[in-house]
Amino acid sequence: MAKFDLTSKMTKYLDRHLVAPLLEFLWAKKIYNENEILQAKLDILNKTNMMDYVIEIYKQLNPEKEVPEEMKTRRDQIVSQLNQFQSEVDVVMNFLKDDKVMKNMETMRDPKTLSTYLTNEFNFKVEMMESMYKFAKYHYDCGNYAGTTSHLYFYLLVMSPSDKNYLNVLWGKLASEILIQNWETALEDLNKLREYIDSNTNGSPLHLLQQRTWLIHWSLFVFFNHVKGRDLIIDMFLYRPNYLNAIQTMCPHILRYLATAVIINRSRRAAMKDLVKVIQQESYTYRDPITELLENLYVNFDFEGARDKLHECQIVLFNDFFLTACLDDFVENARLMIFETFCRIHQCISIGMLAEKLNMNPEEAECWIVNLIRNARLDAKIDSKLGHVVMGTQPLSPYQQLLEKIDTLSVRSEALQQLIERKVKAKTQEQDPLWYNP
């Protein structure tokens, strides 16, 4: 089980607060030694201000030892520092508690107008936002993610995108929304952050590549929990060239999650062809049972190999933090894909043979095929006497072929438009004198 675990690769690109849920999952699955996981959690959280949690883990690891005095002292220092930050932002915190003021603020989308309003009404100064930023970051380090979201939301309302802390605030806001499992807002923050990164014409290619790699990993929390995530992950990872390039260059292990999304998403079968091409290109750098299942099925037409890999895939998904909830959908759709591919080659198929290839007994396989026929997803008849499935002809309509070809056109067009806009903006900045730029 451990050989398929990607946690060690993923943690390089995650904030330590986001790593904690992954370690909790591994601890519950008992993939590794429990004390090793607890020690890893202790090492990670020791670099945060979550001292109550750190002390609790220390006690689990050392039930016969007293909690070190330095931990208790550090806890007191953290509480004292938090109170100090609180006093520095009292002016801001007072009007943030007023619902009427917050409603007025939300109607003022222009940071300058909002800043003027707050200055006139509440003796607010823009300089206070630096203390607000530090206060929000300290709250986040203490594990108060709900408080952090409201503080950073206010920061984004008041400050312009040119502010030095703006990018860090976007990252902090996204992490906080993920950790309180507010998936709708997390998706909005994910899109804002992606647009901010993609519109950056001043950053070096290496810096932008690193930013996109981090965003790819953070986005997994959103995509595998949001109701629209299974579509959005395909659009972003497969059809946005900059992100596909980041996956191929920095993190080919992400292909596991992209492949799973395509497999469980019946409405996006047209993406399978493009996905298989990428998997083939990267097969020398990354392989796992999920990518090998698709290779066996769509490249080698090795149904025995696909059947064996499907069994391994179940183990992989069961022990993967992001994919464990997709296990039933994955098995159902993978069996359907094997069945459909097999049926394209054969017109008359033995139910016993199908059962063997789908890792099912003959009775289960027959019931499964009957359900497919009833739900109008399969043009076939069952000959119960001979134990055969007789396939009907299934010509693909010209309309369906057209739909498959233009399915990703809007995403590709948007990516191309953004690329053109960035090049035009960069060219304008090169030609215009600095003092002329607004």
Side-chain angles (χ1 to χ4, degrees):
M1 290 189 290
K3 73 174 181 176
F4 298 129
D5 179 38
L6 295 179
T7 306
S8 60
K9 293 182 179 181
M10 306 282 284
T11 52
K12 299 175 187 176
Y13 307 104
L14 295 175
D15 178 88
R16 58 179 60 95
H17 291 260
L18 295 176
V19 174
L22 272 65
L23 294 180
E24 286 280 359
F25 178 82
L26 292 179
W27 183 81
K29 291 292 182 181
K30 303 187 186 303
I31 297 173
Y32 300 99
N33 179 275
E34 290 186 18
N35 284 343
E36 288 180 8
I37 296 294
L38 286 173
Q39 187 61 54
K41 284 169 66 177
L42 186 63
D43 293 341
I44 287 172
L45 296 173
N46 229 352
K47 298 173 184 176
T48 72
N49 293 330
M50 300 169 67
M51 288 312 297
D52 288 338
Y53 198 10
V54 169
I55 290 171
E56 181 186 329
I57 295 172
Y58 182 86
K59 287 178 178 177
Q60 286 180 269
L61 274 170
N62 308 282
E64 297 177 359
K65 291 184 180 180
E66 286 289 323
V67 176
E69 282 299 320
E70 60 184 40
M71 284 189 178
K72 296 178 182 178
T73 304
R74 189 179 162 205
R75 184 187 183 283
D76 294 338
Q77 291 172 346
I78 289 169
V79 172
S80 175
Q81 182 67 62
L82 190 60
N83 291 332
Q84 183 181 335
F85 278 128
Q86 178 81 42
S87 64
E88 292 175 7
V89 295
D90 271 345
V91 172
V92 177
M93 295 305 294
N94 285 336
F95 63 70
L96 283 181
K97 294 174 184 175
D98 191 327
D99 291 339
K100 186 177 179 181
V101 174
M102 287 301 295
K103 286 180 181 178
N104 287 338
M105 287 167 50
E106 288 172 358
T107 60
M108 302 176 192
R109 292 299 178 184
D110 177 42
K112 288 184 179 179
T113 305
L114 177 56
S115 182
T116 303
Y117 164 72
L118 295 175
T119 301
N120 293 338
E121 296 291 328
F122 304 101
N123 198 27
F124 167 79
K125 296 179 182 177
V126 175
E127 291 76 18
M128 294 176 181
M129 295 309 293
E130 183 65 28
S131 297
M132 192 67 182
Y133 171 74
K134 292 177 181 177
F135 179 61
K137 190 173 187 304
Y138 209 77
H139 254 280
Y140 179 80
D141 277 337
C142 291
N144 182 3
Y145 308 121
T148 303
T149 58
S150 59
H151 302 151
L152 295 183
Y153 174 70
F154 172 69
Y155 193 100
L156 293 172
L157 283 178
V158 175
M159 305 306 289
S160 71
S162 60
D163 178 71
K164 63 177 182 177
N165 296 322
Y166 198 86
L167 179 59
N168 289 338
V169 169
L170 287 174
W171 282 108
K173 179 76 161 51
L174 174 59
S176 300
E177 297 291 358
I178 288 171
L179 289 162
I180 62 174
Q181 300 182 20
N182 189 354
W183 304 120
E184 200 64 48
T185 309
L187 179 60
E188 293 174 11
D189 290 338
L190 173 65
N191 290 330
K192 286 178 188 175
L193 186 53
R194 178 178 57 77
E195 289 168 9
Y196 187 90
I197 293 170
D198 290 348
S199 63
N200 183 0
T201 56
N202 299 320
S204 69
L206 178 59
H207 176 70
L208 292 174
L209 179 63
Q210 290 170 338
Q211 291 281 310
R212 290 188 177 109
T213 305
W214 278 70
L215 187 61
I216 285 166
H217 286 79
W218 290 36
S219 70
L220 294 176
F221 289 93
V222 182
F223 289 146
F224 284 102
N225 285 284
H226 193 281
V227 66
K228 297 180 180 177
R230 297 178 182 186
D231 272 323
L232 297 174
I233 188 174
I234 298 170
D235 292 336
M236 179 172 163
F237 288 6
L238 191 58
Y239 294 117
R240 290 188 181 275
N242 287 329
Y243 291 90
L244 180 58
N245 176 57
I247 291 170
Q248 293 177 294
T249 307
M250 300 289 287
C251 49
H253 55 269
I254 294 295
L255 289 174
R256 169 186 292 185
Y257 302 100
L258 177 56
T260 301
V262 174
I263 289 170
I264 63 180
N265 196 335
R266 292 172 188 164
S267 64
R268 299 299 297 272
R269 283 287 185 265
M272 186 64 73
K273 191 175 179 182
D274 296 324
L275 172 64
V276 171
K277 285 181 185 176
V278 176
I279 288 174
Q280 283 185 276
Q281 290 169 4
E282 300 306 317
S283 60
Y284 68 96
T285 58
Y286 180 77
R287 302 173 73 89
D288 71 14
I290 297 173
T291 62
E292 289 174 340
L293 168 68
L294 295 180
E295 276 192 294
N296 283 333
L297 194 55
Y298 293 108
V299 180
N300 305 323
F301 298 99
D302 179 2
F303 296 101
E304 295 293 331
R307 182 194 64 184
D308 294 340
K309 291 301 172 185
L310 178 56
H311 178 68
E312 289 184 22
C313 287
Q314 294 179 59
I315 299 171
V316 171
L317 268 76
F318 182 74
N319 293 292
D320 189 292
F321 174 83
F322 296 103
L323 303 181
T324 188
C326 304
L327 179 56
D328 292 340
D329 280 349
F330 182 93
V331 172
E332 173 71 14
N333 283 283
R335 281 176 174 164
L336 183 59
M337 285 162 42
I338 294 171
F339 181 69
E340 287 175 342
T341 307
F342 195 77
C343 290
R344 288 194 191 108
I345 302 172
H346 304 87
Q347 189 172 7
C348 184
I349 309 158
S350 162
I351 292 176
M353 182 190 296
L354 273 177
E356 185 182 344
K357 302 211 177 287
L358 298 173
N359 279 336
M360 303 168 80
N361 63 51
E363 291 77 16
E364 284 180 328
E366 185 171 352
C367 289
W368 186 71
I369 295 165
V370 168
N371 288 331
L372 285 179
I373 295 171
R374 281 178 180 167
N375 294 330
R377 285 161 51 198
L378 181 66
D379 182 11
K381 294 179 181 179
I382 294 178
D383 188 332
S384 298
K385 289 183 180 179
L386 297 176
H388 288 166
V389 179
V390 181
M391 302 302 302
T393 56
Q394 293 180 304
L396 190 62
S397 73
Y399 303 105
Q400 185 62 34
Q401 293 179 49
L402 181 62
L403 284 172
E404 288 185 0
K405 288 184 180 294
I406 67 172
D407 187 43
T408 59
L409 188 60
S410 62
V411 179
R412 291 177 187 270
S413 300
E414 184 185 346
L416 183 60
Q417 179 187 356
Q418 289 179 351
L419 180 62
I420 293 170
E421 287 175 353
R422 287 201 299 276
K423 287 188 176 294
V424 170
K425 187 176 179 181
K427 190 175 180 181
T428 305
Q429 288 176 344
E430 288 174 6
Q431 292 176 346
D432 293 341
L434 288 175
W435 56 266
Y436 181 76
N437 287 332

